[in-house]
Amino acid sequence: MKYIYGLSKSGESIVNYLNSINENFFCWDDNIRIRKKIKIINKKNNLIEPENLNFKLITESFITPGISLKNKKINILKNYKVKLYRDLELYSRIAHKKKIIAVTGTNGKSTTTKLISDILSQNNIPNFMGGNIGIPLLDFPIKHNNLKHHVIELSSYQLESFKKFNPYISILLNISRDHLDRYKNYKEYISQKEKLIISNRKGYKIICIDDKSTYFIYQKYKKKIIPISSKPFKGAIFYENNTIVDDYFEKNKKIELKEISSSLFGNFNIQNILAAYAVSKILKINLIKFTNILKNFKGLPHRLELVFLNEKYRIINNSKSTNLESLVNSIKNYTNIKIIVGGRPKDKNFKKLLKYKNRIKKIYLIGESSNFISKELSNKISFELCCNLHNAIKKIFLDIKKEKQFINILLSPGCASFDQFKNFEERGNQFKRLIKNYARKYL
């Protein structure tokens, strides 16, 4: 019998799936509010804490990605030799006949997943899009079981534990320091991402070779990899002078990108575009349709999302920026920046921001990282301690009254949101509400 521990989105979807096939199971969540919700949708009396289980009945457990496999509460499962999996394992058993396009990376994976899904949809290839992007993997058998093509985003947590997962196309975009509170070291984090390449035995493997970690993985499996890069690279699909150069499928074929959606603005979106192009070539999708989709692509909320624009100000919600790498990437796109930074830090080297002080007019610090980051900046760049998002926006609107040049206002925290918010979505939505209120008064 299966045991489900953690009943938020992915756990709830497993409950719904097992109920749909009339399979018995036990489950638990430490949050009483979530347990009450599950009782409404799951009429069975099967909510049992790990320590109260009859382990003669339990053969395997599915732990929600939000809970570390090193969590002490699940030690009892390990002691009784219960196999621990994520939702990816159960998904892979059910979806093994589907054409799965799986995307991972530290940054950009949600945008890439949606871009590929949109390309398929607009080329009459219906598909299920799910995973870490917010739609649980186990939603598909109930709602989308007839769809042959799947485009899924996978986090390092989902890749931690599975037996057999063999996607049709695997995409590794980039690896930078993130989630190190959950791993022994950076090397262990890299190894989780690498599993998406190792698991793909007969399909296509796409790796962006722009950073050291992904380039090292590319070197290990070189002959079986489709390399993509934002810089010229022989034998790769690369980007140069606003043009995709295909030196992998064809000999230096050039596809000029004349017009691109604002949702794909910025150098870091090049990786996403190149990955989508490689998939389009594999699936033999018309290149004119591909470039049209780039022109009309509507991005996901909280990823360089345009909130307000006039002749004086541009206001951007990039709440999904939860690590230093994504913060730096967003800064590279703009000048004359007033930027809100802070939250629960994942990185310790915010001195990197000093390299971009010519782009930044002022930093407004929020959250529990404020004092630490202020010491890192050590008065070499203008900043102000604001405590929370409301204060930061209030200060920004007071400051921009004095400005005579065009100003870019960014929420790009470079930190996790959990010190003050439930998640980055809640943080981004509050930012948008506050901006709307202040813009009505001052802009």
Side-chain angles (χ1 to χ4, degrees):
M1 194 181 292
K2 294 175 176 61
Y3 183 59
I4 307 155
Y5 186 57
L7 300 171
S8 51
K9 273 186 179 179
S10 69
E12 183 182 331
S13 71
I14 295 174
V15 166
N16 289 334
Y17 169 69
L18 294 178
N19 279 331
S20 75
I21 60 171
N22 296 315
E23 182 173 330
N24 290 326
F25 60 91
F26 294 111
C27 59
W28 183 258
D29 195 288
D30 293 330
N31 187 316
I32 190 169
R33 181 182 57 80
I34 293 175
R35 292 202 302 273
K36 284 179 179 177
K37 181 186 174 185
I38 289 295
K39 278 184 179 179
I40 295 168
I41 64 168
N42 176 51
K43 302 298 181 185
K44 297 172 184 175
N45 184 24
N46 59 359
L47 281 162
I48 300 177
E49 287 189 80
E51 55 267 31
N52 295 327
L53 284 168
N54 178 352
F55 285 97
K56 290 179 181 178
L57 300 175
I58 307 300
T59 54
E60 58 184 1
S61 181
F62 294 88
I63 314 297
T64 188
I67 297 171
S68 170
L69 294 180
K70 298 170 186 173
N71 190 301
K72 290 179 181 177
K73 288 250 344 181
I74 59 175
N75 279 348
I76 191 166
L77 299 172
K78 295 175 188 175
N79 292 341
Y80 278 92
K81 306 269 189 298
V82 175
K83 293 168 185 172
L84 305 180
Y85 297 118
R86 301 298 194 190
D87 59 345
L88 179 61
E89 168 60 21
L90 188 53
Y91 166 83
S92 63
R93 295 177 196 174
I94 305 161
H96 66 279
K97 291 184 179 178
K98 305 294 183 181
K99 280 202 168 183
I100 299 168
I101 302 165
V103 183
T104 196
T106 304
N107 298 307
K109 53 188 179 292
S110 296
T111 298
T112 302
T113 301
K114 185 174 187 294
L115 179 56
I116 293 169
S117 177
D118 284 5
I119 289 168
L120 267 61
S121 296
Q122 292 181 44
N123 281 276
N124 300 315
I125 304 173
N127 62 92
F128 165 69
M129 180 181 74
N132 192 57
I133 199 166
I135 302 157
L137 292 173
L138 270 297
D139 271 16
F140 102 82
I142 298 173
K143 300 176 183 177
H144 310 283
N145 197 34
N146 60 322
L147 298 178
K148 183 181 178 182
H149 288 82
H150 289 197
V151 188
I152 63 170
E153 176 191 335
L154 296 175
S155 69
S156 59
Y157 304 153
Q158 288 171 298
L159 289 163
E160 285 172 346
S161 181
F162 59 85
K163 275 184 184 175
K164 292 179 181 178
F165 175 56
N166 191 15
Y168 178 57
I169 302 173
S170 297
I171 302 169
L172 174 56
L173 293 169
N174 50 64
I175 304 176
S176 58
R177 293 180 178 275
D178 202 0
H179 303 307
L180 297 188
D181 56 323
R182 289 276 288 266
Y183 297 109
K184 188 167 58 178
N185 50 40
Y186 184 43
K187 189 177 179 182
E188 187 183 6
Y189 173 62
I190 292 168
S191 71
Q192 302 306 329
K193 295 292 188 185
E194 188 179 356
K195 283 179 182 177
L196 184 60
I197 302 301
I198 297 168
S199 67
N200 188 328
R201 292 176 290 282
K202 293 182 180 178
Y204 297 90
K205 296 176 273 289
I206 301 165
I207 297 182
C208 181
I209 54 174
D210 285 350
D211 61 70
K212 286 181 182 177
S213 301
T214 54
Y215 184 74
F216 177 72
I217 294 169
Y218 163 70
Q219 289 289 347
K220 280 170 75 175
Y221 310 103
K222 202 170 183 177
K223 290 180 181 178
K224 299 177 181 179
I225 302 294
I226 302 169
I228 61 174
S229 178
S230 60
K231 302 179 281 287
F233 190 89
K234 186 173 174 56
I237 298 164
F238 61 88
Y239 182 86
E240 186 178 35
N241 299 326
N242 208 39
T243 300
I244 295 173
V245 182
D246 184 350
D247 195 33
Y248 181 86
F249 291 103
E250 307 192 41
K251 188 68 177 172
N252 280 319
K253 181 180 174 66
K254 295 184 178 180
I255 303 97
E256 190 178 352
L257 303 179
K258 293 178 181 176
E259 195 177 343
I260 295 177
S261 159
S262 60
S263 295
L264 293 170
F265 175 70
N267 288 335
F268 59 91
N269 272 310
I270 291 167
Q271 295 182 356
N272 308 333
I273 293 168
L274 294 173
Y277 170 81
V279 171
S280 298
K281 289 295 287 184
I282 292 165
L283 298 180
K284 296 180 171 49
I285 282 168
N286 184 290
L287 286 182
I288 294 171
K289 289 184 178 180
F290 168 76
T291 52
N292 282 340
I293 289 161
L294 296 185
K295 183 168 65 176
N296 300 307
F297 177 67
K298 188 168 173 27
L300 293 159
H302 316 298
R303 286 113 171 138
L304 288 183
E305 178 187 10
L306 183 64
V307 176
F308 181 89
L309 178 65
N310 66 11
E311 69 282 357
K312 290 185 176 181
Y313 314 110
R314 174 166 40 212
I315 303 177
I316 300 290
N317 165 29
N318 195 35
S319 182
K320 183 62 173 72
S321 164
T322 59
N323 57 59
L324 185 57
E325 189 76 17
S326 61
L327 166 58
V328 167
N329 281 335
S330 59
I331 290 170
K332 287 177 181 177
N333 292 308
Y334 306 98
T335 56
N336 296 330
I337 302 167
K338 291 183 179 288
I339 186 166
I340 300 170
V341 173
R344 181 162 294 166
K346 297 178 180 179
D347 303 271
K348 295 182 179 177
N349 187 19
F350 279 83
K351 289 176 183 175
K352 279 186 179 180
L353 297 183
L354 298 176
K355 185 179 175 182
Y356 304 97
K357 63 182 181 180
N358 292 335
R359 292 178 175 269
I360 300 169
K361 292 186 76 72
K362 189 172 179 180
I363 297 175
Y364 300 81
L365 294 171
I366 64 170
E368 62 183 48
S369 63
S370 296
N371 290 326
F372 164 71
I373 297 174
S374 68
K375 288 173 185 172
E376 289 274 287
L377 301 177
S378 63
N379 296 318
K380 291 179 181 175
I381 194 167
S382 177
F383 69 85
E384 187 167 353
L385 296 169
C386 299
C387 184
N388 58 46
L389 202 49
H390 187 273
N391 287 343
I393 292 169
K394 186 177 179 181
K395 297 278 187 185
I396 287 172
F397 275 86
L398 288 171
D399 286 351
I400 61 175
K401 285 181 179 180
K402 307 163 195 170
E403 296 289 351
K404 293 182 179 177
Q405 56 194 162
F406 187 86
I407 298 295
N408 289 294
I409 299 165
L410 267 70
L411 169 67
S412 193
C415 296
S417 57
F418 306 123
D419 57 334
Q420 295 181 330
F421 301 94
K422 187 171 76 173
N423 49 42
F424 73 84
E425 291 98 339
E426 186 180 76
R427 178 170 63 186
N429 287 331
Q430 186 183 112
F431 175 75
K432 288 191 282 188
R433 282 194 302 271
L434 290 166
I435 289 296
K436 190 176 179 181
N437 291 338
Y438 274 89
R440 202 179 290 130
K441 294 179 187 176
Y442 297 107
L443 299 183

mmCIF file of all heavy atoms in Angstrom, residues 384-415:
data_model
loop_
_atom_site.group_PDB
_atom_site.id
_atom_site.type_symbol
_atom_site.label_atom_id
_atom_site.label_comp_id
_atom_site.label_asym_id
_atom_site.label_seq_id
_atom_site.Cartn_x
_atom_site.Cartn_y
_atom_site.Cartn_z
ATOM 1 N N GLU A 384 18.684 51.690 0.875
ATOM 2 C CA GLU A 384 17.891 52.094 2.032
ATOM 3 C C GLU A 384 17.220 50.868 2.633
ATOM 4 O O GLU A 384 16.705 50.016 1.904
ATOM 5 C CB GLU A 384 16.831 53.120 1.613
ATOM 6 C CG GLU A 384 16.084 53.716 2.780
ATOM 7 C CD GLU A 384 15.269 54.955 2.394
ATOM 8 O OE1 GLU A 384 15.388 55.430 1.241
ATOM 9 O OE2 GLU A 384 14.512 55.438 3.251
ATOM 10 N N LEU A 385 17.251 50.768 3.951
ATOM 11 C CA LEU A 385 16.581 49.676 4.646
ATOM 12 C C LEU A 385 15.097 50.008 4.756
ATOM 13 O O LEU A 385 14.729 51.045 5.324
ATOM 14 C CB LEU A 385 17.181 49.478 6.043
ATOM 15 C CG LEU A 385 18.649 49.041 6.089
ATOM 16 C CD1 LEU A 385 19.197 49.144 7.500
ATOM 17 C CD2 LEU A 385 18.794 47.621 5.583
ATOM 18 N N CYS A 386 14.247 49.138 4.235
ATOM 19 C CA CYS A 386 12.804 49.436 4.163
ATOM 20 C C CYS A 386 11.935 48.444 4.925
ATOM 21 O O CYS A 386 10.729 48.636 5.021
ATOM 22 C CB CYS A 386 12.356 49.477 2.712
ATOM 23 S SG CYS A 386 13.184 50.737 1.736
ATOM 24 N N CYS A 387 12.517 47.371 5.395
ATOM 25 C CA CYS A 387 11.822 46.344 6.181
ATOM 26 C C CYS A 387 10.873 45.500 5.333
ATOM 27 O O CYS A 387 11.026 44.298 5.238
ATOM 28 C CB CYS A 387 11.077 46.966 7.360
ATOM 29 S SG CYS A 387 10.304 45.737 8.438
ATOM 30 N N ASN A 388 9.872 46.133 4.706
ATOM 31 C CA ASN A 388 8.885 45.344 3.961
ATOM 32 C C ASN A 388 8.558 45.987 2.614
ATOM 33 O O ASN A 388 8.998 47.103 2.316
ATOM 34 C CB ASN A 388 7.614 45.131 4.789
ATOM 35 C CG ASN A 388 6.968 46.438 5.216
ATOM 36 O OD1 ASN A 388 6.820 47.355 4.410
ATOM 37 N ND2 ASN A 388 6.593 46.544 6.483
ATOM 38 N N LEU A 389 7.773 45.276 1.824
ATOM 39 C CA LEU A 389 7.451 45.688 0.456
ATOM 40 C C LEU A 389 6.687 47.009 0.428
ATOM 41 O O LEU A 389 6.956 47.880 -0.409
ATOM 42 C CB LEU A 389 6.624 44.580 -0.217
ATOM 43 C CG LEU A 389 6.575 44.506 -1.735
ATOM 44 C CD1 LEU A 389 7.965 44.576 -2.355
ATOM 45 C CD2 LEU A 389 5.860 43.238 -2.175
ATOM 46 N N HIS A 390 5.742 47.178 1.330
ATOM 47 C CA HIS A 390 4.942 48.400 1.374
ATOM 48 C C HIS A 390 5.828 49.623 1.592
ATOM 49 O O HIS A 390 5.707 50.639 0.884
ATOM 50 C CB HIS A 390 3.882 48.301 2.472
ATOM 51 C CG HIS A 390 2.921 49.445 2.457
ATOM 52 N ND1 HIS A 390 3.163 50.630 3.122
ATOM 53 C CD2 HIS A 390 1.726 49.599 1.820
ATOM 54 C CE1 HIS A 390 2.153 51.459 2.913
ATOM 55 N NE2 HIS A 390 1.281 50.864 2.133
ATOM 56 N N ASN A 391 6.731 49.534 2.553
ATOM 57 C CA ASN A 391 7.637 50.657 2.834
ATOM 58 C C ASN A 391 8.549 50.947 1.643
ATOM 59 O O ASN A 391 8.820 52.103 1.315
ATOM 60 C CB ASN A 391 8.504 50.369 4.060
ATOM 61 C CG ASN A 391 7.717 50.454 5.349
ATOM 62 O OD1 ASN A 391 6.631 51.026 5.381
ATOM 63 N ND2 ASN A 391 8.239 49.870 6.413
ATOM 64 N N ALA A 392 9.022 49.875 1.000
ATOM 65 C CA ALA A 392 9.926 50.048 -0.142
ATOM 66 C C ALA A 392 9.248 50.810 -1.266
ATOM 67 O O ALA A 392 9.820 51.747 -1.854
ATOM 68 C CB ALA A 392 10.411 48.682 -0.627
ATOM 69 N N ILE A 393 8.013 50.429 -1.579
ATOM 70 C CA ILE A 393 7.288 51.092 -2.669
ATOM 71 C C ILE A 393 6.971 52.539 -2.306
ATOM 72 O O ILE A 393 7.076 53.448 -3.142
ATOM 73 C CB ILE A 393 6.019 50.292 -3.028
ATOM 74 C CG1 ILE A 393 6.432 48.961 -3.653
ATOM 75 C CG2 ILE A 393 5.120 51.069 -3.981
ATOM 76 C CD1 ILE A 393 5.312 47.964 -3.815
ATOM 77 N N LYS A 394 6.614 52.757 -1.057
ATOM 78 C CA LYS A 394 6.347 54.130 -0.573
ATOM 79 C C LYS A 394 7.591 55.004 -0.756
ATOM 80 O O LYS A 394 7.517 56.136 -1.264
ATOM 81 C CB LYS A 394 5.951 54.074 0.897
ATOM 82 C CG LYS A 394 5.512 55.402 1.479
ATOM 83 C CD LYS A 394 5.074 55.212 2.928
ATOM 84 C CE LYS A 394 4.656 56.543 3.547
ATOM 85 N NZ LYS A 394 4.260 56.362 4.966
ATOM 86 N N LYS A 395 8.764 54.480 -0.392
ATOM 87 C CA LYS A 395 10.036 55.217 -0.522
ATOM 88 C C LYS A 395 10.349 55.484 -2.002
ATOM 89 O O LYS A 395 10.802 56.574 -2.362
ATOM 90 C CB LYS A 395 11.183 54.415 0.094
ATOM 91 C CG LYS A 395 11.065 54.170 1.589
ATOM 92 C CD LYS A 395 11.547 55.352 2.379
ATOM 93 C CE LYS A 395 11.590 55.017 3.872
ATOM 94 N NZ LYS A 395 11.955 56.209 4.668
ATOM 95 N N ILE A 396 10.121 54.474 -2.845
ATOM 96 C CA ILE A 396 10.397 54.634 -4.277
ATOM 97 C C ILE A 396 9.559 55.767 -4.866
ATOM 98 O O ILE A 396 10.072 56.626 -5.586
ATOM 99 C CB ILE A 396 10.132 53.313 -5.032
ATOM 100 C CG1 ILE A 396 11.228 52.290 -4.717
ATOM 101 C CG2 ILE A 396 10.072 53.551 -6.543
ATOM 102 C CD1 ILE A 396 10.958 50.894 -5.255
ATOM 103 N N PHE A 397 8.277 55.799 -4.533
ATOM 104 C CA PHE A 397 7.407 56.829 -5.098
ATOM 105 C C PHE A 397 7.750 58.220 -4.582
ATOM 106 O O PHE A 397 7.559 59.219 -5.292
ATOM 107 C CB PHE A 397 5.943 56.478 -4.857
ATOM 108 C CG PHE A 397 5.377 55.559 -5.902
ATOM 109 C CD1 PHE A 397 5.509 54.186 -5.794
ATOM 110 C CD2 PHE A 397 4.750 56.073 -7.022
ATOM 111 C CE1 PHE A 397 5.008 53.341 -6.771
ATOM 112 C CE2 PHE A 397 4.251 55.232 -8.018
ATOM 113 C CZ PHE A 397 4.372 53.863 -7.890
ATOM 114 N N LEU A 398 8.282 58.291 -3.377
ATOM 115 C CA LEU A 398 8.765 59.591 -2.884
ATOM 116 C C LEU A 398 10.030 60.002 -3.633
ATOM 117 O O LEU A 398 10.201 61.170 -3.995
ATOM 118 C CB LEU A 398 9.057 59.507 -1.382
ATOM 119 C CG LEU A 398 7.834 59.412 -0.459
ATOM 120 C CD1 LEU A 398 8.271 59.118 0.970
ATOM 121 C CD2 LEU A 398 7.015 60.709 -0.506
ATOM 122 N N ASP A 399 10.900 59.026 -3.895
ATOM 123 C CA ASP A 399 12.179 59.318 -4.556
ATOM 124 C C ASP A 399 12.019 59.688 -6.028
ATOM 125 O O ASP A 399 12.742 60.541 -6.534
ATOM 126 C CB ASP A 399 13.127 58.111 -4.437
ATOM 127 C CG ASP A 399 13.701 57.956 -3.033
ATOM 128 O OD1 ASP A 399 13.510 58.870 -2.208
ATOM 129 O OD2 ASP A 399 14.331 56.914 -2.778
ATOM 130 N N ILE A 400 11.095 59.034 -6.729
ATOM 131 C CA ILE A 400 11.023 59.259 -8.184
ATOM 132 C C ILE A 400 10.446 60.628 -8.538
ATOM 133 O O ILE A 400 10.562 61.070 -9.676
ATOM 134 C CB ILE A 400 10.236 58.143 -8.920
ATOM 135 C CG1 ILE A 400 8.792 58.062 -8.424
ATOM 136 C CG2 ILE A 400 10.948 56.813 -8.805
ATOM 137 C CD1 ILE A 400 7.944 57.063 -9.205
ATOM 138 N N LYS A 401 9.859 61.298 -7.564
ATOM 139 C CA LYS A 401 9.381 62.668 -7.795
ATOM 140 C C LYS A 401 10.525 63.576 -8.236
ATOM 141 O O LYS A 401 10.325 64.527 -8.981
ATOM 142 C CB LYS A 401 8.764 63.234 -6.521
ATOM 143 C CG LYS A 401 7.391 62.695 -6.179
ATOM 144 C CD LYS A 401 6.897 63.378 -4.910
ATOM 145 C CE LYS A 401 5.510 62.890 -4.518
ATOM 146 N NZ LYS A 401 5.039 63.557 -3.296
ATOM 147 N N LYS A 402 11.725 63.268 -7.731
ATOM 148 C CA LYS A 402 12.892 64.131 -7.992
ATOM 149 C C LYS A 402 13.601 63.768 -9.298
ATOM 150 O O LYS A 402 14.503 64.478 -9.733
ATOM 151 C CB LYS A 402 13.895 64.004 -6.841
ATOM 152 C CG LYS A 402 13.289 64.242 -5.455
ATOM 153 C CD LYS A 402 14.213 63.686 -4.372
ATOM 154 C CE LYS A 402 13.467 63.590 -3.036
ATOM 155 N NZ LYS A 402 14.262 62.850 -2.037
ATOM 156 N N GLU A 403 13.222 62.642 -9.895
ATOM 157 C CA GLU A 403 13.946 62.158 -11.068
ATOM 158 C C GLU A 403 13.495 62.852 -12.354
ATOM 159 O O GLU A 403 12.300 63.077 -12.562
ATOM 160 C CB GLU A 403 13.757 60.643 -11.221
ATOM 161 C CG GLU A 403 14.328 59.824 -10.089
ATOM 162 C CD GLU A 403 15.848 59.791 -10.074
ATOM 163 O OE1 GLU A 403 16.464 60.270 -11.053
ATOM 164 O OE2 GLU A 403 16.398 59.289 -9.083
ATOM 165 N N LYS A 404 14.461 63.143 -13.216
ATOM 166 C CA LYS A 404 14.150 63.787 -14.492
ATOM 167 C C LYS A 404 14.376 62.851 -15.677
ATOM 168 O O LYS A 404 13.940 63.125 -16.784
ATOM 169 C CB LYS A 404 14.999 65.048 -14.659
ATOM 170 C CG LYS A 404 14.629 66.126 -13.646
ATOM 171 C CD LYS A 404 15.446 67.381 -13.842
ATOM 172 C CE LYS A 404 15.045 68.444 -12.827
ATOM 173 N NZ LYS A 404 15.864 69.672 -12.943
ATOM 174 N N GLN A 405 15.083 61.735 -15.448
ATOM 175 C CA GLN A 405 15.334 60.789 -16.530
ATOM 176 C C GLN A 405 14.404 59.581 -16.407
ATOM 177 O O GLN A 405 13.761 59.378 -15.376
ATOM 178 C CB GLN A 405 16.811 60.348 -16.515
ATOM 179 C CG GLN A 405 17.256 59.758 -15.205
ATOM 180 C CD GLN A 405 18.759 59.641 -15.104
ATOM 181 O OE1 GLN A 405 19.292 59.501 -14.026
ATOM 182 N NE2 GLN A 405 19.478 59.683 -16.190
ATOM 183 N N PHE A 406 14.362 58.759 -17.471
ATOM 184 C CA PHE A 406 13.511 57.567 -17.468
ATOM 185 C C PHE A 406 14.023 56.575 -16.425
ATOM 186 O O PHE A 406 15.209 56.272 -16.365
ATOM 187 C CB PHE A 406 13.518 56.917 -18.858
ATOM 188 C CG PHE A 406 12.551 55.782 -18.986
ATOM 189 C CD1 PHE A 406 11.228 56.012 -19.319
ATOM 190 C CD2 PHE A 406 12.959 54.468 -18.771
ATOM 191 C CE1 PHE A 406 10.319 54.959 -19.453
ATOM 192 C CE2 PHE A 406 12.068 53.410 -18.887
ATOM 193 C CZ PHE A 406 10.735 53.659 -19.230
ATOM 194 N N ILE A 407 13.110 56.057 -15.597
ATOM 195 C CA ILE A 407 13.482 55.180 -14.486
ATOM 196 C C ILE A 407 12.842 53.804 -14.657
ATOM 197 O O ILE A 407 11.660 53.690 -15.003
ATOM 198 C CB ILE A 407 13.006 55.776 -13.134
ATOM 199 C CG1 ILE A 407 13.686 57.129 -12.876
ATOM 200 C CG2 ILE A 407 13.293 54.818 -11.975
ATOM 201 C CD1 ILE A 407 15.189 57.050 -12.695
ATOM 202 N N ASN A 408 13.627 52.771 -14.413
ATOM 203 C CA ASN A 408 13.137 51.394 -14.346
ATOM 204 C C ASN A 408 13.012 50.981 -12.887
ATOM 205 O O ASN A 408 14.004 51.020 -12.142
ATOM 206 C CB ASN A 408 14.099 50.453 -15.071
ATOM 207 C CG ASN A 408 14.050 50.632 -16.574
ATOM 208 O OD1 ASN A 408 13.035 50.341 -17.202
ATOM 209 N ND2 ASN A 408 15.136 51.129 -17.156
ATOM 210 N N ILE A 409 11.796 50.628 -12.486
ATOM 211 C CA ILE A 409 11.537 50.201 -11.104
ATOM 212 C C ILE A 409 11.321 48.690 -11.124
ATOM 213 O O ILE A 409 10.419 48.192 -11.808
ATOM 214 C CB ILE A 409 10.300 50.918 -10.542
ATOM 215 C CG1 ILE A 409 10.534 52.439 -10.521
ATOM 216 C CG2 ILE A 409 9.956 50.396 -9.147
ATOM 217 C CD1 ILE A 409 9.274 53.254 -10.335
ATOM 218 N N LEU A 410 12.149 47.967 -10.378
ATOM 219 C CA LEU A 410 12.102 46.500 -10.406
ATOM 220 C C LEU A 410 11.868 45.920 -9.023
ATOM 221 O O LEU A 410 12.502 46.353 -8.048
ATOM 222 C CB LEU A 410 13.438 45.926 -10.898
ATOM 223 C CG LEU A 410 13.616 45.617 -12.383
ATOM 224 C CD1 LEU A 410 13.672 46.902 -13.181
ATOM 225 C CD2 LEU A 410 14.881 44.809 -12.598
ATOM 226 N N LEU A 411 10.967 44.952 -8.947
ATOM 227 C CA LEU A 411 10.968 44.006 -7.837
ATOM 228 C C LEU A 411 11.715 42.786 -8.351
ATOM 229 O O LEU A 411 11.227 42.061 -9.215
ATOM 230 C CB LEU A 411 9.552 43.617 -7.424
ATOM 231 C CG LEU A 411 9.469 42.424 -6.451
ATOM 232 C CD1 LEU A 411 10.051 42.784 -5.095
ATOM 233 C CD2 LEU A 411 8.044 41.912 -6.310
ATOM 234 N N SER A 412 12.939 42.595 -7.868
ATOM 235 C CA SER A 412 13.729 41.420 -8.249
ATOM 236 C C SER A 412 14.530 41.015 -7.016
ATOM 237 O O SER A 412 15.715 41.314 -6.891
ATOM 238 C CB SER A 412 14.646 41.750 -9.433
ATOM 239 O OG SER A 412 15.174 40.563 -9.986
ATOM 240 N N PRO A 413 13.884 40.330 -6.060
ATOM 241 C CA PRO A 413 14.440 40.185 -4.713
ATOM 242 C C PRO A 413 15.742 39.408 -4.599
ATOM 243 O O PRO A 413 16.535 39.649 -3.691
ATOM 244 C CB PRO A 413 13.324 39.477 -3.950
ATOM 245 C CG PRO A 413 12.086 39.750 -4.750
ATOM 246 C CD PRO A 413 12.540 39.772 -6.173
ATOM 247 N N GLY A 414 15.969 38.429 -5.483
ATOM 248 C CA GLY A 414 17.182 37.622 -5.389
ATOM 249 C C GLY A 414 17.220 36.749 -4.152
ATOM 250 O O GLY A 414 18.269 36.213 -3.788
ATOM 251 N N CYS A 415 16.078 36.599 -3.497
ATOM 252 C CA CYS A 415 15.963 35.826 -2.256
ATOM 253 C C CYS A 415 14.622 35.101 -2.235
ATOM 254 O O CYS A 415 13.670 35.509 -2.910
ATOM 255 C CB CYS A 415 16.018 36.752 -1.034
ATOM 256 S SG CYS A 415 17.560 37.639 -0.804
#
